[in-house]
Amino acid sequence: MSQSFLRTDALPALPGPYLLFLGDVHEAGYAKTAFGLRDWAPERCVGEFACAGATVTTGLPFLTPAQAVAAGARSIVIGVANIGGQIPEAWITSLLQAMEAGLDVISGMHMRLGELVALRDAAAALGRQLIDVRQPPAGIPIASGHRRTGKRLLTLGTDCALGKKYTALALTRAFAQRGHAVDFRATGQTGILIAGRGMPMDAVISDFAAGAAELVSPDADPTHWDIIEGQGSLFHPAYAGVSLALLHGSQPDVVVICHQPGRERVLGHPQYALPSIEETIALTLQLGRRTNAGIRCGGVALNTAHLDATAAEALLRSESQRLGCAVADPMRPGPAFDQLVDACLV
Amino acid sequence: MSQSFLRTDALPALPGPYLLFLGDVHEAGYAKTAFGLRDWAPERCVGEFACAGATVTTGLPFLTPAQAVAAGARSIVIGVANIGGQIPEAWITSLLQAMEAGLDVISGMHMRLGELVALRDAAAALGRQLIDVRQPPAGIPIASGHRRTGKRLLTLGTDCALGKKYTALALTRAFAQRGHAVDFRATGQTGILIAGRGMPMDAVISDFAAGAAELVSPDADPTHWDIIEGQGSLFHPAYAGVSLALLHGSQPDVVVICHQPGRERVLGHPQYALPSIEETIALTLQLGRRTNAGIRCGGVALNTAHLDATAAEALLRSESQRLGCAVADPMRPGPAFDQLVDACLV
């Protein structure tokens, strides 16, 4: 174990800042990655670019690739998804234009950039990088199980896709606002683009998954916080193994349990009932104790996007009373969220 | 879910029977794979072959590759390991001779056969297969979580490397001797060579690990048993995620917990105490219930290789009384093992 408290980030950094690419989409729902980057990593985004005819905008200045390079951009990030996860022909001309202007290309899509011959040839000819953030780095070790210095918080959920990443981001922002040294630690492709580095946990070979989680949050100063984006759920019939590897490798001191009120069945697996919040807290602490005997629950994050402010506030209050811990929606700043931050930091 | 009860083995079969290759080793300890194949898959082994000067023998007839082909062999299996897991130059001449005689080459070593240019070129020229059993098949799906037809037994352990594979093999043999339709289902490289097919769980991308486990034991006749080789341990700081994915995807009706008496620390992770057998049974049933509510513990398998017969028998008896379940060493046939088989089959 390092005794120097010098953080050594083993994970490579993405070249930034970014020019956000919006493709040719006409619906904001397909540009979630670009909006996430605008909201959570504004310092990493110099502007946006799109194919002719695209109608979606993040509100950032529209820059040609040449203008973006002049403004300091080092890469163009594909900020849109489309059905099927493939990169359409229509985008390729724009991406080639960006590469010619001097930008590397970064993608979080399932399709590998290097599968597109035009991009691969241009990258070789121009000396540009094609970076797939779903591709784990080489040389991930088997987990050592050794305790690391610094403090760690991990978000876990009752299911997939209910706010673990945004909870971690909101907590990171709040910790920083209170003057704590803190890093958001990304474990999925959108989080990696936001943080500028991270580990695509779902793409790691299973024997190395806990080792990959150890790499995500290296030794740090004893007062430093890593806030780690959770993946899957310990109760998920397909992904529980990934969640457990991430829990064991993260060795969190504090966990925050994320849930979406009203969701009763596992997304995509309707034959499975969602676990209760209490069951999720209990199993998380039970299993997490294996690699960190001091693990505790900081509180619960509810995704109340479907409720109005009054209903959300009432629910947060009643759930906090029922569960006996801090309960907040990290997307709704206010006293409840302040109490959750307090409870994580004690 | 299939309603036909027709077993559809999605996993490709290895070409057999085998000629066992013993390389140039002089210590039987390095030929564990060959001895395992001789003991557990004699019907798949036509003979053995080695470099000039090798002194280890399995006792099977020594055949040249041409003689082996005449005896029906379809492949040569590397039955030895060496320090570092690399294939030495000295073996290559022998493997080329085998390929020229008409045999495919099968390896469970870390090094990929295709990395050796001489073998790759010969395979292309002669139309032979180079098969690495550590390489998972393409197209593994995300786990569905659907229940499958047929009965399943999974071996789990308090740690790695204490008898999960041999327990599964011994139970498979015993079930068959009692007239049950049964298949040993392999999840590691030696098991795959023995079964002739299987899934190298430790090499599967983590998001697909539970899906891979579902492929290992497909729909079967309602009275058919799959006996599935376990991997790792739910308490292992590096591998628990693999173990949980295998447990969830296997959906076992019965589990048998494997332990080596006297082992007190996790192999290779001495800072971690081994869990007790009782804790391991409890956590296995707790987590396994998520995908099979009817899961139960059939009993405990102890690896007593370090004890003499009298001491082993006394320990099995006292542990059976202490734990209140069948306890046997599957490598020691007799009443204790018969009781374990009974308890699994009730």
Side-chain angles (χ1 to χ4, degrees):
Chain A
M1 230 192 308
S2 160
Q3 295 302 316
S4 69
F5 306 139
L6 286 176
R7 314 238 327 284
T8 51
D9 249 311
L11 299 174
L14 298 173
Y18 311 140
L19 176 62
L20 302 181
F21 180 60
L22 293 162
D24 56 352
V25 297
H26 290 78
E27 287 185 48
Y30 290 123
K32 271 163 67 172
T33 302
F35 286 105
L37 287 169
R38 177 201 66 185
D39 292 344
W40 293 103
E43 76 288 359
R44 298 183 68 79
C45 305
V46 300
E48 69 177 34
F49 180 58
C51 302
T55 56
V56 172
T57 176
T58 62
L60 293 173
F62 186 99
L63 302 177
T64 64
Q67 290 170 330
V69 169
R74 292 174 57 210
S75 59
I76 185 165
V77 171
I78 298 179
V80 285
N82 58 334
I83 295 156
Q86 300 292 304
I87 294 170
E89 284 292 318
W91 300 3
I92 292 184
T93 313
S94 299
L95 295 175
L96 290 174
Q97 184 186 344
M99 294 167 80
E100 279 153 19
L103 298 172
D104 294 328
V105 183
I106 303 178
S107 165
M109 303 183 79
H110 268 294
M111 183 184 193
R112 296 281 159 83
L113 290 167
E115 291 173 36
L116 295 161
V117 176
L119 296 187
R120 198 172 59 214
D121 289 351
L126 297 164
R128 304 285 175 261
Q129 298 183 78
L130 301 177
I131 302 171
D132 294 288
V133 297
R134 284 178 187 268
Q135 175 73 37
I140 298 171
I142 298 290
S144 74
H146 290 305
R147 289 300 304 282
R148 303 187 295 287
T149 51
K151 302 184 202 179
R152 287 169 187 80
L153 183 154
L154 174 67
T155 58
L156 293 101
T158 54
D159 195 4
C160 296
L162 42 63
K164 291 186 288 290
K165 177 175 69 252
Y166 286 126
T167 297
L169 285 163
L171 288 170
T172 303
R173 190 171 277 182
F175 278 37
Q177 282 166 351
R178 295 188 182 200
H180 294 275
V182 60
D183 275 300
F184 167 70
R185 294 303 191 174
T187 61
Q189 68 270 16
T190 304
I192 293 170
L193 293 171
I194 291 170
R197 58 160 55 88
M199 179 65 74
M201 283 297 297
D202 60 359
V204 174
I205 300 282
S206 61
D207 241 20
F208 300 92
E214 291 187 350
L215 279 189
V216 167
S217 62
D219 272 323
D221 185 274
T223 62
H224 178 277
W225 283 92
D226 271 342
I227 301 196
I228 304 158
E229 172 193 6
Q231 292 294 333
S233 152
L234 294 169
F235 293 86
H236 197 288
Y239 305 127
V242 183
S243 304
L244 181 55
L246 184 54
L247 175 60
H248 275 174
S250 296
Q251 306 176 349
D253 304 287
V254 176
V255 293
V256 171
I257 304 301
C258 305
H259 177 63
Q260 181 173 325
R263 195 186 293 188
E264 292 176 355
R265 317 298 300 180
V266 174
L267 203 65
H269 294 72
Q271 74 270 40
Y272 285 91
L274 226 61
S276 69
I277 295 172
E278 301 92 306
E279 286 174 294
T280 307
I281 293 172
L283 185 62
T284 300
L285 298 180
Q286 179 190 351
L287 296 176
R289 235 169 250 131
R290 182 64 172 158
T291 59
N292 185 346
I295 189 172
R296 65 183 178 87
C297 179
V300 171
L302 296 183
N303 179 339
T304 63
H306 56 301
L307 300 179
D308 66 31
T310 311
E313 208 173 299
L315 179 69
L316 297 174
R317 205 162 36 232
S318 67
E319 283 294 88
S320 177
Q321 276 174 354
R322 186 178 72 82
L323 296 165
C325 67
V327 178
D329 182 337
M331 298 296 105
R332 298 184 188 269
F337 184 58
D338 292 343
Q339 282 165 26
L340 177 60
V341 175
D342 289 342
C344 292
L345 281 167
V346 289
Chain B
M1 232 191 307
S2 161
Q3 295 303 312
S4 68
F5 305 138
L6 286 176
R7 314 234 333 281
T8 51
D9 248 311
L11 298 175
L14 298 174
Y18 310 140
L19 177 62
L20 301 182
F21 180 60
L22 293 162
D24 56 352
V25 296
H26 290 77
E27 288 185 47
Y30 290 123
K32 271 163 66 172
T33 301
F35 287 105
L37 286 169
R38 176 201 67 185
D39 292 344
W40 292 103
E43 75 288 357
R44 299 183 67 80
C45 305
V46 300
E48 68 177 35
F49 180 58
C51 303
T55 56
V56 172
T57 175
T58 62
L60 293 173
F62 186 98
L63 301 177
T64 65
Q67 290 170 329
V69 169
R74 293 173 58 210
S75 58
I76 185 164
V77 171
I78 298 178
V80 284
N82 58 335
I83 294 155
Q86 300 291 306
I87 294 170
E89 283 292 318
W91 300 2
I92 292 184
T93 315
S94 300
L95 295 175
L96 290 173
Q97 184 186 345
M99 293 167 81
E100 278 153 19
L103 299 171
D104 294 329
V105 183
I106 303 178
S107 165
M109 303 184 77
H110 267 293
M111 184 185 192
R112 295 282 158 82
L113 290 168
E115 290 172 37
L116 294 161
V117 176
L119 296 186
R120 197 173 58 213
D121 289 350
L126 297 164
R128 305 285 176 262
Q129 298 183 80
L130 301 177
I131 302 172
D132 294 289
V133 298
R134 283 177 187 267
Q135 175 73 36
I140 298 172
I142 296 290
S144 74
H146 291 304
R147 289 299 304 281
R148 302 187 296 285
T149 52
K151 302 184 203 179
R152 286 169 187 81
L153 184 154
L154 174 66
T155 58
L156 294 101
T158 55
D159 196 4
C160 296
L162 42 63
K164 292 186 287 291
K165 176 175 67 250
Y166 286 125
T167 297
L169 286 163
L171 288 171
T172 303
R173 192 171 275 181
F175 278 36
Q177 282 166 350
R178 295 188 182 200
H180 293 276
V182 60
D183 275 301
F184 167 70
R185 295 303 192 174
T187 61
Q189 67 272 13
T190 304
I192 292 170
L193 293 171
I194 290 170
R197 56 159 57 86
M199 179 65 74
M201 283 299 296
D202 60 358
V204 174
I205 300 282
S206 61
D207 240 20
F208 300 93
E214 291 187 350
L215 279 189
V216 167
S217 63
D219 273 323
D221 186 273
T223 63
H224 178 278
W225 282 91
D226 271 343
I227 301 196
I228 304 158
E229 173 192 7
Q231 291 295 332
S233 153
L234 294 169
F235 293 85
H236 198 288
Y239 306 127
V242 183
S243 305
L244 181 55
L246 185 54
L247 175 60
H248 275 175
S250 298
Q251 306 176 349
D253 304 288
V254 176
V255 293
V256 171
I257 304 302
C258 304
H259 177 64
Q260 182 173 326
R263 194 186 293 189
E264 292 177 355
R265 315 298 300 179
V266 174
L267 203 65
H269 294 72
Q271 74 270 42
Y272 285 91
L274 226 61
S276 69
I277 295 172
E278 301 92 305
E279 285 174 296
T280 307
I281 294 173
L283 185 62
T284 301
L285 298 180
Q286 179 190 351
L287 296 176
R289 236 169 249 133
R290 181 64 174 160
T291 60
N292 185 346
I295 189 172
R296 66 183 177 85
C297 178
V300 171
L302 296 184
N303 180 339
T304 64
H306 56 301
L307 299 179
D308 66 32
T310 311
E313 208 174 299
L315 179 69
L316 296 174
R317 206 164 35 233
S318 67
E319 283 294 90
S320 177
Q321 276 173 355
R322 186 177 72 83
L323 296 165
C325 67
V327 178
D329 183 337
M331 299 295 105
R332 297 184 188 269
F337 184 58
D338 292 343
Q339 282 165 25
L340 176 61
V341 176
D342 290 342
C344 292
L345 281 167
V346 289

